[in-house]
Every structure is written in structure tokens, then in C-alpha cells.
Amino acid sequence: MSVASVVAVFGASSPREGTATYAEARELGALLAQSGYIVATGGYRGVMEASSRGASEAGGHVIGVTCERIEALVPGLRPNRWVAEEIRFRDLRERLSHLVIESQAAIAMPGGIGTLSEIALTWSLIQTAEIPSKPLILVGQNWQQVVSVFLQQAGDHVRERDSGLLRTVDTAAEAATLVVECL
């Protein structure tokens, strides 16, 4: 592993401190930082805040990739306080592209439409070799079910080697272990 390896953490903005998802994302950030990785997130609330917090509290470096468009839609929204380095873009496309392209691994915690788009873009760019292959790890039963249903419905439209480009695990601890094994 390179000391400068960046792991992007994707996930919902809704989880708050005291929820299971927040606690697990915080644990993930800590585990990644303890293993020497830089944690990069979208920089705001929820999973982004929790994983940033865990990484920062463990002595790691946290990059928050933010964007003017989101802040214009949500008055008062600012990067979370655990972001050590902010990389700012004008719009969501640029923000997403940066997170996907500049990371050496990506982990998706529970999330919604935004998280699904992050997974899909990462998977597609790896599949087409537009970006180097990297670990793409989805955490939780929800993603396992989503991927299972998608692959069943897609049938032979998704090659076996392409379905193998992503991994699903039950816990954040398993995701952190898998990153260490793969990088």
C-alpha cells in the first residue's frame, strides 16, 4: 500500500450520531486511517461526516470533496468539521468524477440515489477500463439485495467478470479488511 492511497467512502447524508449507520461509518473511517489510508468523502453530513470523524479521531487525513451546487440547494450546509483538506467543485458531476477517479478504492455504505450513482459510475468506469481497476466494496444487506436482483434481472447482459468487479460485505470492518488485502 502506498502511504498516499485514498479510499473514497460513499453513503447517505441522513444518518445522525446515535444511529447504527453513523457508528459503523465512523468505525470504517477509523479502521481505514489506522491502516494508513487517506479517507475521501463528499465532505458533508451523515456517512460522510461519520467516516471523516472516525478517520480524523484516529489520526488520519480526511479530504472533503464539496460542491457549490449542493450548498446552494441546502442553505447553511458546510463541510463537516473533520475535513482537513477541502477540494471544491462547481457541480455534482465534477465532484463525483473526482471522488471516483482519484481514489484507489471505494466503499459504499448504506445510501440512496446519490450513493447508487456513485456505485454505478465507479463500476462502469472500471468495467470499461476508463479508470484503473480498484476495489469497489458495498457494505450491508441492502446493497447485497440490490446487486443480486440487478444481476438476476440483467442475465447475460452483465458478464461474469464484470459482476466480479464489485464485492459485497456485511460490515464496515470486513470492508476495511478487504481494502487492506486488495491494495
Side-chain angles (χ1 to χ4, degrees), residues 55-77:
S56 179
E57 290 173 340
H61 186 71
V62 177
I63 299 171
V65 183
T66 62
C67 91
E68 295 169 17
R69 176 76 179 141
I70 291 174
E71 291 178 14
L73 292 172
V74 183
L77 183 65

Side-chain angles (χ1 to χ4, degrees), residues 7-9 21-41 47-62 82 107 109 172-173 175-176:
V7 178
V9 178
T21 299
Y22 188 99
E24 190 166 31
R26 187 173 173 185
E27 175 189 15
L28 175 64
L31 291 169
L32 292 170
Q34 290 164 0
S35 296
Y37 297 103
I38 295 169
V39 172
T41 73
V47 166
M48 297 170 279
E49 174 186 306
S51 57
S52 297
R53 181 178 179 180
S56 179
E57 290 173 340
H61 186 71
V62 177
W82 290 278
I107 299 173
M109 295 294 292

Side-chain angles (χ1 to χ4, degrees), residues 123 127 147 151 158-167:
W123 194 9
Q127 182 255 338
V147 169
L151 291 174
V158 177
R159 296 175 293 199
E160 188 174 328
R161 72 175 186 185
D162 295 333
S163 66
L165 294 173
L166 59 83
R167 302 276 301 270

